[in-house]
Amino acid sequence: MSEMNQRYDVVVIGGGAAGLSGALALARALRTVLVVDAGSPRNAPASHAHNYLGREGIPPLELLAIGRAEAADHGAEIVRGEVVSAARLLDGGFRVVRADGGVVEARRLLVTTGIVDELPPVDGLTERWGKEVLHCPYCHGYEVRDRPVGILARSPMAVHQALLWRQWTDDVVLFRHEQADFGDEEYEQLAARGISVAEGTVTGLEVTDDRLTGVRLAGGTVIPREAVVVQPRFTARSAVLESLGLVPTEMLIGDHAVGSYIAADPSGATDVPGVWVAGNVANLMEQVVGAAAAGLKAASMINMDLVTEDTRRAVDARRAPFSAEAERLVTERVLGDRRHGLQEIR
């Protein structure tokens, strides 16, 4: 634990695409950087990452391994661990505490802790998550093109989901599950696109030879499907940010809450000076390539903020000798005047 009780320009909390991208940019800016990675990336269950130009189809863990190596090659330190809290210091920096007791200080923080996908309590969903249980058509629609796909309704966005996934396959079944009935216009849209609606509560998934084969309804009916789409609740991993006073914001689609995130400006700067966020913790819809871009943007703003601080300190240091000399001359003048006044009295 060579990094314990040291002070860094920037501590990056989270070692996913956003965090490693930010760490690489900061290391290339010759900043001292520590990345603390809990080792639980959101996309770990997925076999491949998509839409990352130049890395299409790369396994997510392989992409992160490459990113760690690149950041480390440029001087960033990377440790495995979980940050449990952070606190402001009197000089404007931060004290960062890990679960293993390790403590470091940082002038700035970049938090890229991501989100947790919370799935509904349906038997089999968690076990098949990232395999045949999906949520993003741009991430995985191409891989299940022309195959039987089921949409598990969980919000008022269910019809929209079904119409969207219809782009990749003409065999779509929308399972109404426990969602309120759809409107006449929605049923007309579904019928026009050849999307059927299955009534009844979904009780589980059918799996044969480690492959999804169907969706089971409460009455025992099994509808053959090779993929199931479900909208999770996206909950920000925000504990360390909350320890700094940042409160998660609910993301609403209409009146429906789909998750929580930490509000920030377009550069990732939060309401706490010196703290930036990037990736899914700040943007629930961000894909891997977007998270990496957000990490880079935040890193560039953090570096500029440090440049500004370094310059201010340098100016103060440059002025200090002149200020001291001026103070000495004023003191001598005052003392001289006092002596002169005493002589006149005598």
Side-chain angles (χ1 to χ4, degrees), residues 191-274:
R193 294 292 281 159
I195 299 170
S196 59
V197 177
E199 300 291 342
T201 302
V202 173
T203 59
L205 304 183
E206 293 289 316
V207 178
T208 304
D209 295 330
D210 198 32
R211 296 287 300 176
L212 176 68
T213 56
V215 174
R216 185 174 64 253
L217 299 175
T221 301
V222 174
I223 298 179
R225 297 289 93 184
E226 295 182 16
V228 171
V229 175
V230 60
Q231 179 182 304
R233 175 180 168 82
F234 309 111
T235 301
R237 289 175 170 147
S238 58
V240 64
L241 291 160
E242 291 184 56
S243 72
L244 290 163
L246 290 166
V247 178
T249 299
E250 287 287 318
M251 180 176 176
L252 300 176
I253 298 180
D255 296 328
H256 180 72
V258 298
S260 61
Y261 66 97
I262 297 296
D265 74 9
S267 76
T270 70
D271 288 340
V272 175

Side-chain angles (χ1 to χ4, degrees), residues 17 41-64 130 136 138-143 287-290:
R42 177 193 180 199
N43 59 359
S47 58
H48 300 89
H50 300 287
N51 298 314
Y52 201 124
L53 188 62
R55 296 286 184 178
E56 168 59 31
I58 188 172
L61 298 184
E62 182 181 337
L63 178 65
L64 296 183
C136 172
Y138 300 102
C139 300
H140 303 290
Y142 185 83
E143 281 61 46
Q287 295 186 45
V288 178
V289 68

Side-chain angles (χ1 to χ4, degrees), residues 151-170:
I151 312 294
L152 178 62
R154 198 187 182 195
S155 77
M157 294 296 293
V159 171
H160 167 77
Q161 282 181 291
L163 295 171
L164 183 59
W165 280 84
R166 175 62 177 79
Q167 174 64 25
W168 283 267
T169 176
D170 60 5

Side-chain angles (χ1 to χ4, degrees), residues 109-110 262-271 275-278 282 294 297-298 301:
L109 296 180
L110 174 55
I262 297 296
D265 74 9
S267 76
T270 70
D271 288 340
V275 179
W276 273 257
V277 289
K297 180 186 292 185
M301 297 305 295

Side-chain angles (χ1 to χ4, degrees), residues 121-186:
V122 173
D123 184 39
L125 283 184
T126 300
E127 292 77 7
R128 308 310 298 180
W129 177 243
K131 299 178 177 68
E132 303 99 345
V133 176
L134 314 167
H135 81 92
C136 172
Y138 300 102
C139 300
H140 303 290
Y142 185 83
E143 281 61 46
V144 296
R145 64 194 184 279
D146 301 324
R147 292 163 59 186
V149 172
I151 312 294
L152 178 62
R154 198 187 182 195
S155 77
M157 294 296 293
V159 171
H160 167 77
Q161 282 181 291
L163 295 171
L164 183 59
W165 280 84
R166 175 62 177 79
Q167 174 64 25
W168 283 267
T169 176
D170 60 5
D171 188 353
V172 178
V173 174
L174 175 54
F175 293 88
R176 194 159 69 83
H177 190 45
E178 298 172 352
Q179 184 63 31
D181 202 4
F182 309 127
D184 292 341
E185 183 178 353
E186 291 176 309

